Amino acid sequence: MQPQSFLKTLKIIHLALCGGLLLFATISFLQFDSTLIADSESNLMLYLVPAVAVAGYFGSTYLFEKHIRKIKKDDSLVKKLQRYQSALVLQYAIIEGPAILALMAYYTSGNALFLAIAACMIVFLYSKKPSFQKLSAALPLSFEEQKQFDNLKH
């Protein structure tokens, strides 16, 4: 597994997830002539969507860190990268789930609160864009392993 192709694969996965959410958000937004600022009727989604978003925000970070802590310094580079990729994809999925739920709730109701929550989750997902710096900070890389990534720092 080459470091350059590894990061490129992670960036493609990240871009596809962000792009899909943005496309869904755009399509959902264009379906309505006007959006509701508040929903007067008692709606379970008004409580469920924010709760799931908060759980996704904190849960994604917690589970990512939990999986990263399982990586040992003496593991091979390939094993470290595979575990890092698994942890990152899990983190992305946990962030994407609440964003999709919020967009579906917006699509069915037109309530702008759901669109705002989805936008926050999309921005949070975008902030998790993979890079050498983030990988290097998360993984216990040896000096020799870091040298393999040297050409990717810039």
Side-chain angles (χ1 to χ4, degrees):
M1 183 179 296
Q2 295 294 337
Q4 188 170 8
S5 63
F6 174 76
L7 277 176
K8 185 177 180 180
T9 301
L10 286 179
K11 288 179 181 183
I12 290 170
I13 292 168
H14 180 261
L15 181 64
L17 293 174
C18 288
L21 287 173
L22 285 173
L23 181 64
F24 186 21
T26 302
I27 290 169
S28 298
F29 182 74
L30 294 175
Q31 294 296 316
F32 293 98
D33 293 332
S34 63
T35 55
L36 300 172
I37 301 302
D39 196 358
S40 59
E41 56 187 77
S42 178
N43 188 347
L44 175 64
M45 295 302 271
L46 286 173
Y47 303 103
L48 182 65
V49 171
V52 170
V54 169
Y57 176 84
F58 291 110
S60 68
T61 303
Y62 171 75
L63 288 174
F64 176 78
E65 293 296 328
K66 183 178 177 183
H67 279 79
I68 292 298
R69 282 192 297 268
K70 292 180 182 178
I71 300 172
K72 297 178 179 85
K73 189 168 182 83
D74 59 342
D75 287 343
S76 69
L77 180 61
V78 171
K79 190 171 185 177
K80 289 177 186 178
L81 294 179
Q82 288 172 340
R83 288 187 174 185
Y84 180 77
Q85 183 176 22
S86 296
L88 205 56
V89 169
L90 176 66
Q91 183 180 42
Y92 292 166
I94 293 172
I95 297 168
E96 186 180 29
I100 290 173
L101 177 66
L103 288 171
M104 288 173 44
Y106 174 72
Y107 187 78
T108 58
S109 71
N111 190 330
L113 172 66
F114 302 136
L115 185 60
I117 290 171
C120 290
M121 296 306 290
I122 292 169
V123 168
F124 181 57
L125 177 62
Y126 183 77
S127 74
K128 299 298 179 181
K129 182 178 179 183
S131 69
F132 167 75
Q133 291 78 13
K134 291 178 183 176
L135 182 141
S136 179
L139 292 180
L141 296 176
S142 68
F143 181 72
E144 292 80 25
E145 292 168 340
Q146 283 186 351
K147 282 174 48 177
Q148 294 181 33
F149 285 94
D150 278 346
N151 61 337
L152 302 177
K153 286 184 181 180
H154 305 289

